[in-house]
Amino acid sequence: RPGPRRLTALSSCDSGSIVSDGLALSTSLGWRLREEANLLRRQCHWILLNAVFLVYGTMFVLLNLAFYRFPVRDHRLYDLGHQLIPELPQHLVDSGAVDLPQNLLVVLGLVLVVSVFINNAPAGKRNPKPHFVNIMLRTTSVYSLGHLLRAGTYLTTSAPGAADRCLTAGHPERFKPTFAEIFYTRGDVYHNCGDLMFSGHMLLCLVITLAVHRYGESAFWISRRQNRYLVIAALVLCVAESILIIAARHHYTSDVVVSWYITPLLWYYFNTTLWPRDLKPDLEGIAQGLLAAHQR
């Protein structure tokens, strides 16, 4: 009679055999999509919560509430960054050039999530790269928590506007929502005033950079040194975005500085305390489903 260790080994071998049989019945991409569906089904409530908060809670309610509470003042706060960094001409601000580093980081993030579907493993082996669902869950969770912390600062203290448009009564009077519109009108970051502390643009840039730091090596199938260079390049883009944000007078320097230390600390806390490890797909369950479908 086999002992407990022998039974565990036999069970492990049977499980591995089932997974191998299931892999043989599916393409690499098809198997990967089944893994993603398995993870999505088990974590969809968290992803849905993040999506609702980011799309409706942040882009509608919180942005509009900040603008609704915004008091018009005709002067900025004394700011060292505004003194050291010349203000950009308005036509450059309106052209969207300020967001160029951020947009490049967004492209890098998109390449990261697309690359996880490319199987670099030998033929017949499952894709070992991190999963799209896990990456999205981790990044959107930190991004959501960051926006929740932002709301706790800009809704409790309404600082004078940093942008020129927020320093005259005409702009807020034209675009400021009514109390009812807070809940059904989408906030516009290019017309909004009041959501200053801390910078949401930098929150996004730094979350993407931190995601590349965590997942880039395995997602891009590169060495640790190569990924380190990639992270350094992303940080350079973050610095450039910081300077442009201040030069465009979208934020005060303190808004940018706070985002630089709040975002990494929030990422560290989430990764070490709230959600230390990514969920693994149920490979045996996926394989059993494939085998059952094949036998019909």
Side-chain angles (χ1 to χ4, degrees):
R1 181 180 180 181
R5 292 186 180 179
R6 177 62 175 167
L7 287 174
T8 302
L10 289 172
S11 175
S12 178
C13 290
D14 291 342
S15 175
S17 176
I18 291 173
V19 172
S20 297
D21 293 342
L23 278 167
L25 295 175
S26 177
T27 63
S28 174
L29 180 59
W31 180 270
R32 179 60 181 221
L33 292 176
R34 287 177 172 85
E35 289 186 7
E36 297 287 354
N38 178 267
L39 292 170
L40 179 61
R41 185 168 60 251
R42 295 156 63 194
Q43 302 177 111
C44 61
H45 52 293
W46 293 115
I47 294 176
L48 181 61
L49 179 64
N50 289 338
V52 170
F53 176 75
L54 289 173
V55 173
Y56 179 70
T58 298
M59 298 176 66
F60 283 75
V61 178
L62 295 178
L63 281 180
N64 284 329
L65 188 57
F67 200 0
Y68 178 78
R69 295 189 66 256
F70 178 73
V72 179
R73 298 184 181 93
D74 60 359
H75 63 279
R76 296 187 178 99
L77 295 176
Y78 181 79
D79 188 271
L80 181 61
H82 289 186
Q83 286 187 315
L84 297 177
I85 301 174
E87 185 171 2
L88 286 177
Q90 191 59 44
H91 70 275
L92 284 180
V93 176
D94 295 337
S95 70
V98 175
D99 295 328
L100 179 59
Q102 175 189 265
N103 293 338
L104 291 175
L105 284 166
V106 170
V107 170
L108 176 60
L110 292 174
V111 173
L112 175 74
V113 297
V114 169
S115 68
V116 301
F117 292 99
I118 301 173
N119 189 0
N120 294 96
K125 301 291 184 181
R126 60 177 292 270
N127 188 343
K129 292 183 176 182
H131 292 84
F132 169 78
V133 171
N134 286 335
I135 295 174
M136 294 306 298
L137 176 61
R138 190 171 297 277
T139 54
T140 58
S141 294
V142 175
Y143 194 49
S144 297
L145 290 172
H147 274 289
L148 190 61
L149 293 179
R150 287 188 72 224
T153 56
Y154 63 65
L155 291 180
T156 53
T157 302
S158 296
D164 288 336
R165 66 176 184 272
C166 301
L167 299 176
T168 58
H171 181 91
E173 288 176 356
R174 179 182 176 188
F175 293 100
K176 181 180 287 191
T178 64
F179 183 77
E181 289 174 337
I182 290 174
F183 302 98
Y184 67 84
T185 302
R186 182 180 180 275
D188 188 342
V189 295
Y190 296 103
H191 290 131
N192 210 63
C193 300
D195 58 319
L196 290 173
M197 179 65 73
F198 47 95
S199 171
H201 285 73
M202 289 311 304
L203 171 66
L204 175 61
C205 292
L206 289 166
V207 165
I208 293 173
T209 301
L210 291 164
V212 172
H213 177 266
R214 181 182 178 96
Y215 294 109
E217 183 180 344
S218 52
F220 293 127
W221 210 255
I222 57 179
S223 68
R224 182 172 299 181
R225 175 177 292 184
Q226 290 171 324
N227 192 58
R228 190 178 297 120
Y229 292 149
L230 188 60
V231 171
I232 291 173
L235 287 172
V236 170
L237 290 174
C238 288
V239 172
E241 181 67 18
S242 299
I243 295 172
L244 288 172
I245 285 173
I246 296 170
R249 304 302 188 253
H250 286 338
H251 279 278
Y252 293 110
T253 308
S254 59
D255 305 332
V256 175
V257 171
V258 169
S259 67
W260 269 94
Y261 62 79
I262 285 289
T263 310
L265 288 173
L266 186 59
W267 180 268
Y268 176 79
Y269 177 71
F270 186 85
N271 288 339
T272 58
T273 304
L274 298 182
W275 208 277
R277 290 178 295 275
D278 288 338
L279 189 66
K280 294 183 179 180
D282 180 9
L283 301 180
E284 187 175 351
I286 296 171
Q288 288 175 344
L290 267 172
L291 292 170
H294 183 71
Q295 291 171 358
R296 290 174 187 170

